[in-house]
Amino acid sequence: MLNISRESEVNIVNTLIDHDVISGTDLIKIKKASIDGEKSQIETIFELELASEQQILDILIKEQALEVADLSTVSPTEELKRILPSNYITMNFIAPFRIDGNTLHIAISDSSKLSLMRNLKTITKKEIELHGAKVSQISAFIDQLLSDGETTVQSIVEAKKAEEQEREKQKEFDSEFSEAGEVLEKEELEEDIEAIENESEVIKFSTAVVAEAIKSGVSDIHIEPYRFSSRVRYRTDGILQEQTKFSRFLHDNYGAVVTRFKIMGKLDIAERRLPQDGAIPFRIDGKIVDLRLSILPTANNERIVMRVLNKDAGNISLEQLNFEETDLKNLRKAIHGTQGLILVTGPTGSGKTTTLYSILKEVSQPHLNILTAEDPVEFELDGVGQVQTKDDIGFTFASALRSFLRQDPEIILIGEMRDKETVDIGLKAALTGHLVFSTLHTNDAPSTITRLQNMGTPDYLISAACTLVLAQRLARKTCEDCRIPDEDVTPDVLTQLGISSEQASRAKVFKGKGCNKCNDTGYKGRMGIYEILNVTKPIKEAILSKATTPEIKKIAVEEGFRTMQDMGREMILSGDLNFREFDRVLSSE
């Protein structure tokens, strides 16, 4: 029977999956047979003849260029039995099998043991040379090494000394990369010992993950742990894409990677039970890029998501946002007014913040007092008083808004109208000589009015205060370098989409074939799709008469309102928007 450690077992199974030796379906069979037969998963794999010891060994020596050790021809000496603590050998499933002068030769079963090199050198005071060996031979050799069943006093003393040295190194590591917060003691981070031994590689890895994301124009970085694997995903143009080149190192060093990002974000590295949020200022190519860090504990480990805050978003003008001429004229008229409520709506990630910052950039003047309440403050704007709300201490949007009204502002931005209290204060501020901007999560512009009504806001306040509602989405733009005619989209399909038969018969619809410039996705960059509801007198009267969303929409269309679907159809005909992207982003009317 194999006396293999659980960690080694998991690493070998992951290696076999990564090399397509076994599949996910095989894994289910392996787990069931392992439990039924009360055997390790490795033994079960051998019994089911899904893989052999030689295959596992071949993968290891090919990946790491190790020499093979035949432990069946070696017997442990008394010096080998004293060289390492027995619990360290069994926990890590390693076999020290030969001492040549100042070099200790150790047999390993999988590549995760490479991270032990420095610790082994510290404990044994010898140079370490690793070899690959068959799992059964390592198991049998360990049994021989520990045949007396006790850990020697000498090896315990050596291990304690090594542990003390490692603690001092950890303190140096923490003080170098964390300006604030207490240094984590070694006992508090037992499960991360091996990974932190590999700290220089972890630092390089963490830096590489972030640097590549920033250079690629990524909006979010996801670092995710699972039982048998880990992965890094980048959100590019609104779509998550796995970065497979990071997976192996990440899984082998996941705990240390989490700790590294916590230190960078000045979070509590000892807290693993509760979610934590922080910020990381990251220097790249001579400029500082801010990352918004979120840590979430899961069943397997802590999950990391970082939002890359693009400073350039605060420098985009309204002309760059793809507004149609009439819509831009109506928007400019509203934002240059002296009072009223202007709402920007849409789902998370639809570009609401970018639009609001472009508006503030346009209206900001030396003679105006502009205040914003945000959660969090994503971009810093010159000439604008920006405030970070903190719900955990009671500093909510509503309380910030009350304080703003005593600060003599002309323009107020509230990050989000989450509750009736915030809505009521904002509407009243819009009626008393203030221009108020805010956001809501609604599907379209007309339904925003209904949402405000459903929150219990009086109709007369909505009618009197609301000036304009802007709803928006972000859609991926068809790559200009590889776009080709989309033969799958027939005139009938376009007609069903609401395009006239005459236009459908003449239309030439495009799709991206995929090229180097768009990473073979067929899409490059994103563009805004908008609808602007100008709250005119007929619409105000409809609000007072408790009109439904379809009734408000009908009146708006008569007043010249153009829906996001209308804009999307025009973009399909122009070739900028792919039919499938239209279907993904915009629900049918």
Side-chain angles (χ1 to χ4, degrees):
M1 185 173 180
L2 291 178
N3 294 318
I4 187 169
S5 68
R6 175 61 182 156
E7 182 191 8
S8 293
E9 182 181 53
V10 169
N11 284 322
I12 291 172
V13 171
N14 283 337
T15 299
L16 293 174
I17 292 173
D18 289 343
H19 287 80
D20 296 323
V21 178
I22 61 175
S23 65
T25 307
D26 292 332
L27 191 57
I28 296 170
K29 295 177 188 175
I30 293 164
K31 288 181 180 178
K32 186 178 186 304
S34 172
I35 294 168
D36 292 344
E38 296 183 350
K39 296 179 180 179
S40 71
Q41 290 184 12
I42 302 303
E43 288 175 288
T44 306
I45 288 171
F46 297 156
E47 283 188 6
L48 295 175
E49 297 184 350
L50 295 170
S52 66
E53 286 193 84
Q54 190 60 48
Q55 279 180 286
I56 295 171
L57 180 57
D58 288 344
I59 291 171
L60 174 62
I61 60 177
K62 184 178 179 182
E63 280 188 343
Q64 306 300 334
L66 300 179
E67 290 185 11
V68 177
D70 184 1
L71 300 186
S72 63
T73 62
V74 183
S75 297
T77 64
E78 289 302 315
E79 187 180 8
L80 285 170
K81 289 182 178 182
R82 294 194 303 269
I83 199 73
L84 283 168
S86 59
N87 61 343
Y88 191 90
I89 289 173
T90 54
M91 179 179 71
N92 293 299
F93 196 64
I94 57 175
F97 67 91
R98 189 170 76 244
I99 298 175
D100 288 336
N102 195 43
T103 302
L104 174 64
H105 297 264
I106 296 176
I108 62 173
S109 61
D110 62 275
S111 58
S112 68
K113 304 300 177 284
L114 271 68
S115 63
L116 298 173
M117 290 282 282
R118 198 176 72 184
N119 202 14
L120 285 165
K121 187 175 179 179
T122 305
I123 294 172
T124 63
K125 305 293 190 296
K126 293 184 181 296
E127 296 299 319
I128 304 299
E129 187 167 327
L130 298 179
H131 300 258
K134 290 183 178 179
V135 177
S136 60
Q137 289 187 7
I138 293 175
S139 177
F141 197 86
I142 289 174
D143 288 342
Q144 293 180 57
L145 275 172
L146 309 181
S147 56
D148 56 1
E150 297 208 356
T151 302
T152 64
V153 172
Q154 178 186 344
S155 52
I156 291 176
V157 170
E158 295 293 345
K160 286 291 183 185
K161 286 181 180 178
E163 188 178 54
E164 196 62 40
Q165 290 174 4
E166 288 298 313
R167 182 182 286 115
E168 291 303 317
K169 287 176 183 177
Q170 176 61 27
K171 286 181 180 179
E172 293 173 9
F173 174 69
D174 285 337
S175 62
E176 182 180 353
F177 293 104
S178 178
E179 296 177 2
E182 61 184 4
V183 176
L184 183 68
E185 291 299 325
K186 197 73 171 185
E187 292 85 356
E188 294 174 285
L189 196 59
E190 289 177 358
E191 69 193 52
D192 286 342
I193 288 174
E194 294 175 23
I196 289 180
E197 288 155 9
N198 201 19
E199 64 193 33
S200 61
E201 285 77 15
V202 169
I203 292 170
K204 290 176 185 175
F205 172 84
S206 305
T207 302
V209 167
V210 176
E212 184 167 325
I214 293 170
K215 289 176 181 176
S216 302
V218 166
S219 62
D220 298 88
I221 305 167
H222 291 235
I223 300 175
E224 305 160 330
Y226 299 97
R227 187 173 180 185
F228 296 111
S229 63
S230 301
R231 67 182 180 183
V232 174
R233 291 193 291 173
Y234 290 162
R235 188 178 293 281
T236 306
D237 292 339
I239 303 295
L240 282 170
Q241 296 175 331
E242 184 172 354
Q243 309 299 307
T244 54
K245 59 182 174 290
F246 295 127
S247 299
R248 183 176 297 281
F249 183 90
L250 175 63
H251 192 63
D252 291 343
N253 301 274
Y254 197 91
V257 172
V258 172
T259 302
R260 171 63 181 154
F261 279 113
K262 283 183 178 179
I263 291 170
M264 290 168 72
K266 295 184 173 57
L267 301 181
D268 182 357
I269 55 180
E271 179 56 73
R272 297 191 183 125
R273 300 162 299 168
L274 297 173
Q276 297 188 70
D277 295 312
I280 300 173
F282 190 88
R283 185 183 297 277
I284 183 169
D285 295 336
K287 66 176 183 178
I288 301 294
V289 176
D290 289 332
L291 304 174
R292 194 169 71 202
L293 174 67
S294 172
I295 308 279
L296 179 69
T298 68
N300 294 297
N301 207 315
E302 292 171 289
R303 191 176 191 273
I304 301 173
V305 174
M306 288 174 280
R307 167 68 57 86
V308 181
L309 301 179
N310 180 10
K311 298 282 185 185
D312 295 335
N315 295 321
I316 295 175
S317 66
L318 289 178
E319 283 83 4
Q320 293 173 277
L321 292 181
N322 199 34
F323 286 112
E324 189 267 341
E325 188 177 342
T326 304
D327 286 341
L328 182 58
K329 182 180 178 183
N330 288 333
L331 178 61
R332 277 208 161 105
K333 182 180 178 183
I335 66 175
H336 286 290
T338 55
Q339 67 177 41
L341 174 66
I342 295 170
L343 291 171
V344 179
T345 78
T348 301
S350 60
K352 298 188 297 294
T353 302
T354 300
T355 299
L356 283 171
Y357 276 40
S358 298
I359 290 172
L360 287 182
K361 183 174 180 289
E362 168 133 343
V363 300
S364 180
Q365 297 291 336
H367 66 276
L368 294 177
N369 182 20
I370 303 174
L371 298 175
T372 75
E374 303 170 62
D375 183 20
V377 175
E378 294 194 10
F379 318 110
E380 294 180 12
L381 296 172
D382 288 337
V384 177
Q386 296 172 275
V387 173
Q388 167 80 56
T389 61
K390 295 181 176 65
D391 287 352
D392 55 339
I393 59 171
F395 186 39
T396 62
F397 283 125
S399 56
L401 189 45
R402 285 197 197 91
S403 298
F404 284 1
L405 295 175
R406 294 189 287 272
Q407 287 279 318
D408 186 32
E410 277 84 17
I411 297 173
I412 297 170
L413 185 147
I414 301 297
E416 185 181 345
M417 290 193 161
R418 294 176 179 169
D419 50 52
K420 182 178 183 298
E421 183 183 15
T422 309
V423 172
D424 286 351
I425 300 170
L427 287 169
K428 288 172 183 174
L431 287 174
T432 55
H434 304 90
L435 188 59
V436 181
F437 300 109
S438 192
T439 69
L440 267 180
H441 291 281
T442 59
N443 287 330
D444 53 33
S447 64
T448 304
I449 303 298
T450 311
R451 172 66 59 83
L452 293 174
Q453 291 171 327
N454 292 340
M455 291 173 80
T457 309
D459 293 331
Y460 71 87
L461 265 183
I462 300 171
S463 173
C466 277
T467 305
L468 181 140
V469 180
L470 188 160
Q472 68 180 71
R473 298 284 189 280
L474 282 178
R476 291 179 295 169
K477 190 174 183 180
T478 304
C479 178
E480 294 181 3
D481 293 293
C482 66
R483 59 176 63 176
I484 59 172
D486 192 343
E487 304 298 341
D488 295 332
V489 183
T490 63
D492 287 341
V493 173
L494 295 176
T495 304
Q496 291 171 13
L497 202 64
I499 295 173
S500 69
S501 300
E502 184 185 349
Q503 282 183 310
S505 63
R506 291 187 286 105
K508 195 172 184 180
V509 182
F510 291 91
K511 68 177 180 180
K513 182 182 179 182
C515 63
N516 292 333
K517 292 189 177 179
C518 64
N519 293 323
D520 291 319
T521 61
Y523 302 97
K524 186 168 177 61
R526 287 194 290 177
M527 53 193 173
I529 299 178
Y530 307 93
E531 62 183 33
I532 291 181
L533 177 66
N534 199 14
V535 185
T536 58
K537 187 176 180 181
I539 292 176
K540 290 178 183 289
E541 291 171 353
I543 295 170
L544 291 173
S545 62
K546 296 189 181 298
T548 63
T549 299
E551 289 170 342
I552 292 174
K553 185 174 180 179
K554 184 180 177 182
I555 296 169
V557 169
E558 292 171 356
E559 296 268 307
F561 175 67
R562 189 180 68 143
T563 67
M564 286 185 286
Q565 284 77 13
D566 292 334
M567 187 174 184
R569 284 188 279 265
E570 291 175 11
M571 293 171 119
I572 287 177
L573 296 174
S574 71
D576 287 334
L577 185 63
N578 180 276
F579 173 80
R580 293 160 192 80
E581 186 69 359
F582 176 95
D583 196 44
R584 183 183 74 86
V585 174
L586 298 170
S587 57
S588 59
E589 290 180 285

